[in-house]
């Protein structure tokens, strides 16, 4: 959740640290700080609040130095304050940390008995004291770090500098993301790729239980048992411009409008509509093994969980295989029943979601074959998986997921169709028909985006409402959940999503003239049922906002407001229904004056449990 940046090289580190932290602001934070080697000493500056407060603090100071580390903190242990902000120092050891140290209280008690004095409430300060404890015996920072890490239980991404070794920077990782950027005789550390894109596109992904040491213009990576690790750099195709707002008022709006391209990029090169074929060699599953799968489990958190619910409909419809969908945060705590004929699919935008990663390890440990769908190359979840289907959304800076969600849906369509083809569960002509429509989806998304003003007008009518109900049926029910989530995430309005058929089992009691109801209306066997739900809402003086296919213009007379989407196959509607709901939430949030890109209490990547 927090952000780490580090630099060692020939340039001044302070501007690089501040710039990198700014590019990590989307992760959410409540305080910030930097530590820089300056005239033989480590100078630390930190404060509660935003980066602009830190910039004001150091504006008149000379913090020159070519080695430094920085951090943005989102409170886990201890309230937001200057004392709890990173970096933390003990003796000459300075540390920034993402993650959670589960045994920090036991370690803190031990260290206090030995005479260590603590100045914060954080678990991170324990790490700096623990390294100091070992360095007193070893007098060498690398060895002290290795010994300290062996005492820690939990997750961490660490950047460490030591006052007696000014030309050295150390990084370490366990279950929390950390990447290394390679420059010309310089190195960068970061929690996420956008932080360093303006300096380099060549990156190395530090693995679990690995330590990187930077000194004398060189880098070495070793495992905790001191074995050297050789890892080839990856070239990241994102560029700094992709991570900027590009003229839009907010990152979220920019990312909403990037969806035609990102969906196209996710589909491109993988489907051959005329032949009815799909190529997913990256999955690393032989056809004979696909035929043995008897059950699919899909595990994710948040918005990715709703993508999984859509996936359930797709796999059961296309492949005729039973599917269970589970929350990553709950999966491993119920001792799930998993067999070798199971396929477990894990979905995460960042590939670093802590709960999803833990669930993946649980499934893998019980013998399930594991696939993942994620957006970040070489992320933890991708590396732990047998095969990965990467989405190509590019950097998503806004905390509320938009293009990551629709590219996850696109990836699920491809994956479900691929499995249907490989296991001969679907007629080839039907596959070609679906692919033909899937290829059109990015153009239909662009058509919806061109009607943004219509959604904005509807938002202006309802933005003062305090409660919303979202209804959908069948494969569109998860989109009702996602629409409600988007609204409450960024506008702080209470909103609930329900299957429309469940309205009479409780939610109908809430409906009155102050409760707008957003209804997703799709053609198919449930069309008449949804119209019945609309009538029930109107009978109780509720306002109805309908998102409907163009083929259902007859519904206009039954509702208060309507937005028409292009017509496609009913099974492909989830992507199209998502777009107006994103715009609706965005414009309501703007009208209410909330922080759209960084909503309160939320972080982009939930990398701690």
């Amino acid at each position: 959740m927090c952000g780490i940046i580090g630099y060692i090289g020939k340039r001044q580190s302070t501007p690089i640290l501040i710039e990198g932290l700014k590019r990590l602001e989307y992760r959410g934070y409540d305080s910030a700080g930097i530590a820089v080697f300056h005239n033989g000493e480590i100078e630390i500056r930190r404060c509660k609040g935003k980066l602009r407060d830190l910039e004001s603090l150091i504006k008149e100071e000379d913090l020159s130095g070519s080695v430094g580390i920085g951090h943005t903190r989102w409170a886990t242990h201890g309230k937001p304050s200057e004392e709890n902000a990173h970096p933390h120092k003990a003796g000459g050891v300075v540390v920034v940390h993402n993650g959670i140290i589960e045994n920090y209280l036991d370690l803190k008690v031990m260290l206090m008995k030995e005479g260590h004095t603590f100045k914060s409430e954080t678990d991170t300060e324990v790490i700096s004291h623990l390294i100091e404890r070992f360095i007193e015996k070893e007098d060498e920072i690398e060895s002290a770090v290795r010994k300290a890490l062996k005492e820690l239980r939990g997750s961490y991404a660490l950047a460490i500098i030591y006052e007696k070794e000014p030309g050295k920077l150390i990084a370490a990782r366990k279950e929390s993301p950390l990447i290394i950027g390679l420059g010309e005789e310089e190195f960068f550390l970061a929690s996420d790729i956008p932080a360093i894109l303006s300096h380099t596109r060549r990156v190395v992904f530090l693995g679990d239980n690995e330590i990187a040491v930077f000194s004398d213009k060189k880098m070495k990576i070793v495992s905790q048992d001191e074995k050297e690790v050789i890892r080839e750099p990856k070239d990241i195709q994102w560029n700094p411009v992709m991570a900027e707002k590009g003229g839009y008022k907010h990152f979220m709006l920019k990312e909403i409008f990037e969806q035609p391209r990102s969906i196209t990029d996710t589909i491109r090169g993988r489907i051959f509509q005329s032949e009815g074929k799909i190529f997913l060699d990256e999955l690393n599953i032989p056809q004979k093994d696909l035929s043995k799968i008897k059950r699919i489990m899909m595990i994710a958190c948040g918005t990715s969980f709703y993508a999984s619910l859509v996936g359930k409909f797709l796999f059961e419809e296309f492949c005729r295989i039973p599917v269970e969908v589970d929350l990553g945060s709950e999966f491993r705590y119920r001792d799930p029943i998993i067999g070798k004929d199971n396929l477990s699919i894990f979905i995460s935008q960042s590939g670093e979601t802590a709960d999803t990663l833990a669930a993946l390890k649980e499934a893998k440990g019980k013998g399930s074959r594991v696939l993942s769908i994620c957006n970040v190359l070489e992320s933890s979840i991708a590396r732990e998986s047998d095969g990965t289907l990467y989405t190509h959304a590019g950097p998503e800076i806004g905390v509320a997921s938009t293009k990551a969600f629709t590219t996850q849906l696109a990836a699920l369509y491809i994956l479900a169709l691929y499995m249907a083809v490989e296991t001969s569960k679907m007629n080839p002509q039907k596959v070609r028909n679906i692919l033909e429509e899937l290829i059109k989806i990015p153009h239909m998304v662009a058509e919806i985006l061109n009607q943004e003003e219509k959604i904005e007008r509807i938002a202006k009518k309802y933005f003062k409402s305090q409660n919303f109900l979202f209804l959908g049926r069948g494969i569109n029910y998860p989109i009702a959940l996602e629409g409600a989530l988007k609204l409450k995430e960024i506008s702080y309005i209470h909103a609930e999503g329900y299957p429309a058929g469940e309205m009479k089992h409780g939610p109908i009691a809430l409906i009155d003239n102050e409760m707008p109801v957003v209804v997703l209306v799709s053609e198919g066997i449930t069309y008449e049922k949804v119209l019945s739900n609309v009538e029930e809402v109107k009978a109780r003086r509720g306002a109805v906002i309908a998102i409907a296919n163009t083929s259902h213009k007859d519904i206009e007379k039954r509702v208060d407001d309507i937005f028409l989407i292009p017509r496609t196959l009913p099974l492909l509607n989830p992507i199209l229904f998502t777009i107006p709901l994103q715009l609706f939430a965005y414009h309501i949030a703007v009208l209410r004056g909330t922080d759209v890109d960084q909503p309160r209490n939320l972080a982009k990547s939930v990398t701690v449990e």
Side-chain angles (χ1 to χ4, degrees), residues 333-352:
Y333 294 109
R334 62 176 176 82
D335 192 19
I337 300 169
I338 301 171
K340 294 187 182 298
D341 58 356
N342 292 170
L343 173 64
S344 300
I345 301 173
F346 295 83
I347 305 179
S348 167
Q349 186 280 137
S350 66
E352 303 292 349

Side-chain angles (χ1 to χ4, degrees), residues 314-320 413 416-417 420 425-426 434 571:
L314 298 176
F315 285 106
E316 292 188 344
E317 171 79 14
F318 296 165
C319 307
R320 307 310 298 163
Y413 283 108
L417 286 168
K425 295 289 179 64
M426 187 181 288
I434 295 172
L571 278 171

Side-chain angles (χ1 to χ4, degrees), residues 469-473 476-477 479-481 484 496-504 507 511 517-521 530 533-534 536-537 545 547 581:
L469 188 63
F470 288 71
L471 301 177
R473 291 200 78 135
N476 298 311
Y477 148 57
I479 307 306
L481 295 174
E496 297 294 337
Y498 272 91
E502 286 292 294
M503 189 178 72
K504 286 184 283 190
I511 295 172
V517 180
V518 180
V519 183
L520 307 182
V521 186
V530 173
N533 293 133
V534 169
E536 288 167 341
V537 172
I545 305 164
I547 313 293
L581 295 181

Side-chain angles (χ1 to χ4, degrees), residues 38-88:
H38 175 66
N39 293 335
E41 297 182 352
I42 298 177
E43 296 287 347
I44 296 175
R45 300 293 184 271
R46 56 189 186 174
C47 64
K48 177 184 174 183
K50 295 295 186 181
L51 279 167
R52 59 178 175 268
D53 301 312
L54 180 63
E55 287 185 283
S56 297
L57 183 66
I58 66 175
K59 184 169 60 174
E60 303 300 328
E61 293 194 64
D62 174 19
L63 282 180
S64 57
S66 59
V67 181
I69 55 179
H71 190 268
T72 49
R73 175 179 186 258
W74 195 81
T76 53
H77 295 82
K79 62 184 180 295
S81 67
E82 180 181 342
E83 292 78 15
N84 289 331
H86 299 210
H88 288 285

Side-chain angles (χ1 to χ4, degrees), residues 347-367:
I347 305 179
S348 167
Q349 186 280 137
S350 66
E352 303 292 349
T353 309
D355 290 320
T356 305
L357 180 58
L360 185 155
K361 292 177 179 178
E362 176 81 7
K364 194 173 182 179
K366 291 191 171 186

Side-chain angles (χ1 to χ4, degrees), residues 13-51:
S13 60
T14 298
I16 294 171
L17 300 178
I18 295 297
E19 177 199 358
L21 292 178
K22 285 180 177 179
R23 294 183 185 277
L24 293 173
E25 282 190 293
Y26 65 90
R27 294 170 69 90
Y29 68 106
D30 51 50
S31 57
I34 61 172
V36 177
F37 268 108
H38 175 66
N39 293 335
E41 297 182 352
I42 298 177
E43 296 287 347
I44 296 175
R45 300 293 184 271
R46 56 189 186 174
C47 64
K48 177 184 174 183
K50 295 295 186 181
L51 279 167

Side-chain angles (χ1 to χ4, degrees), residues 190-230:
S191 305
D192 208 350
I193 292 168
I196 60 173
L197 273 181
S198 61
H199 303 290
T200 181
R201 294 192 201 174
R202 296 181 68 231
V203 303
V204 170
F205 294 85
L206 199 61
D208 268 354
N209 299 305
E210 292 179 352
I211 301 168
V213 181
F214 308 91
S215 62
D216 300 321
K217 302 177 184 177
K218 297 178 182 178
M219 171 186 75
K220 70 173 180 179
I221 300 176
V222 296
S223 61
Q224 281 212 31
D225 56 5
E226 300 185 57
K227 292 181 180 177
E228 188 171 0
V229 176
I230 305 298

Side-chain angles (χ1 to χ4, degrees), residues 538-554:
K538 295 304 297 178
R540 287 156 183 81
R541 298 185 301 148
V544 176
I545 305 164
I547 313 293
N549 297 98
T550 53
S551 58
H552 292 141
K553 290 185 178 179
D554 61 308

